[in-house]
Amino acid sequence: MSFSIEGKSTIVTGAARGVGLAIARRFVENGARVMFVDLDADGLKFEFQHDPEHVRYFVGDLRKELTRQNLLSATLDEFERVDILVNASRQVLQSDIEHEGRETLETMLDQNLRQNYKLSRLIARRFIEQAKSEPSENHIIGSIINLTSIAARRAQPTLLDYSISCAAQDQLTRSLAVALAPHGIRVNGIGFGSVMSAKLQKEIAGNSKYRESIKTGTPMLRIADAGEVAAAAQFLVSDGARFITGHILTVDGGRSLLDRVNVPHH
């Protein structure tokens, strides 16, 4: 059983930083051709200069239909096909019940749900079109991954709207998996907890209490590296996972298993 992604043409959104960048880099390191997508042009250009053979980049707002169409066209111009889509572009905003919440909820639903849904449908149609002339031996013609969070199941009062958008993203993953399975397209998600991104490093800098609260709230007593989420993504898009679809793979060091109320169950 192979976990190779050698030669696969991949689109990774949110690829200028954080987990999206880690996934895109890992895929390139393992032989994939990757279209890095983000609004941050400077970050994307750096990656292209680092590996101009396997990396291409696209700058644009994927909430717009024309931008999504242009992304697909640009990918086909460069790679001639697309095999994998990783929806790693995410918006995380704090909100609670005391605020109206409409602005934050709509913003995150646009970024975390609607954008991914529409892009996934566009790319899925391309998978199907390609398969008409290129029959797949293992009946798998494409793979989609959605990045989500354990906040979908472990709600926090200060992440009210984000938790809602993540729960919707999980259901989107399952629903697309069922709808696209007959075509040979797999759709999975990765739900993760705290990852040591540049943003989190900034938040915990000089705040040892915050850092320790994350560690002690995680059974494995540490914060994940973005590369660990990237490794899970490679597994899910490889042939080694070809009978897995509609699954939300949790990468959180056991954090979502905890019951923090320290009293006996009755």
Side-chain angles (χ1 to χ4, degrees):
M1 192 171 291
S2 172
F3 301 107
S4 172
I5 54 173
E6 182 86 27
K8 297 291 186 180
S9 296
T10 305
I11 295 172
V12 181
T13 69
R17 63 183 63 82
V19 176
L21 175 58
I23 292 173
R25 282 178 171 173
R26 183 182 179 94
F27 280 26
V28 170
E29 291 167 359
N30 284 272
R33 299 175 297 172
V34 181
M35 181 67 78
F36 287 56
V37 185
D38 207 287
L39 284 170
D40 181 359
D42 292 336
L44 297 179
K45 289 177 182 177
F46 174 81
E47 295 301 321
F48 173 74
Q49 293 167 354
H50 179 69
D51 191 343
E53 182 179 355
H54 297 95
V55 172
R56 296 293 183 270
Y57 68 91
F58 181 92
V59 181
D61 185 350
L62 294 175
R63 290 171 296 184
K64 300 177 180 179
E65 181 179 357
L66 181 59
T67 304
R68 295 190 295 270
Q69 294 285 351
N70 288 341
L71 168 59
L72 176 57
S73 296
T75 304
L76 297 178
D77 286 345
E78 294 292 342
F79 301 148
E80 298 183 347
R81 61 178 296 108
V82 58
D83 303 296
I84 298 166
L85 169 64
V86 180
N87 288 310
S89 177
R90 302 161 61 246
Q91 183 84 334
V92 183
L93 298 173
Q94 289 197 336
S95 62
D96 58 39
I97 199 65
E98 295 182 3
H99 295 84
E100 179 65 25
R102 178 176 176 80
E103 182 178 348
T104 56
L105 179 59
E106 287 301 313
T107 296
M108 286 186 285
L109 287 176
D110 279 342
Q111 181 100 11
N112 302 347
L113 181 68
R114 297 187 183 103
Q115 170 185 294
N116 293 345
Y117 174 52
K118 293 174 182 178
L119 183 58
S120 295
R121 290 191 64 174
L122 176 66
I123 300 303
R125 288 195 292 269
R126 179 60 195 180
F127 290 157
I128 294 169
E129 185 65 27
Q130 289 172 173
K132 292 178 181 178
S133 58
E134 303 172 4
S136 173
E137 293 182 359
N138 62 10
H139 307 295
I140 302 300
I141 66 172
S143 182
I144 298 172
I145 290 182
N146 294 319
L147 293 194
T148 178
S149 168
I150 60 173
R153 307 185 308 277
R154 308 289 290 188
Q156 298 181 26
T158 58
L159 292 174
L160 176 62
D161 298 328
Y162 177 62
S163 296
I164 293 170
S165 74
C166 288
Q169 177 86 316
D170 283 3
Q171 185 58 30
L172 170 65
T173 300
R174 291 186 286 264
S175 296
L176 282 177
V178 172
L180 296 174
H183 298 284
I185 300 170
R186 299 189 301 108
V187 186
N188 291 290
I190 301 176
F192 51 90
S194 296
V195 175
M196 190 60 82
S197 62
K199 181 180 179 181
L200 182 58
Q201 286 179 331
K202 183 178 180 180
E203 289 177 352
I204 65 177
N207 190 341
S208 58
K209 184 177 180 180
Y210 182 28
R211 177 194 291 266
E212 287 306 309
S213 70
I214 296 174
K215 289 184 176 180
T216 56
T218 305
M220 296 189 75
L221 300 177
R222 65 179 178 86
I223 299 172
D225 180 85
E228 292 173 301
V229 181
Q234 180 180 347
F235 163 68
L236 285 175
V237 300
S238 73
D239 282 347
R242 65 176 178 263
F243 203 57
I244 298 175
T245 195
H247 180 65
I248 311 298
L249 178 59
T250 302
V251 182
D252 70 346
R255 181 171 164 181
S256 59
L257 301 175
L258 291 179
D259 180 356
R260 291 193 168 200
V261 180
N262 191 25
V263 295
H265 289 283
H266 294 286

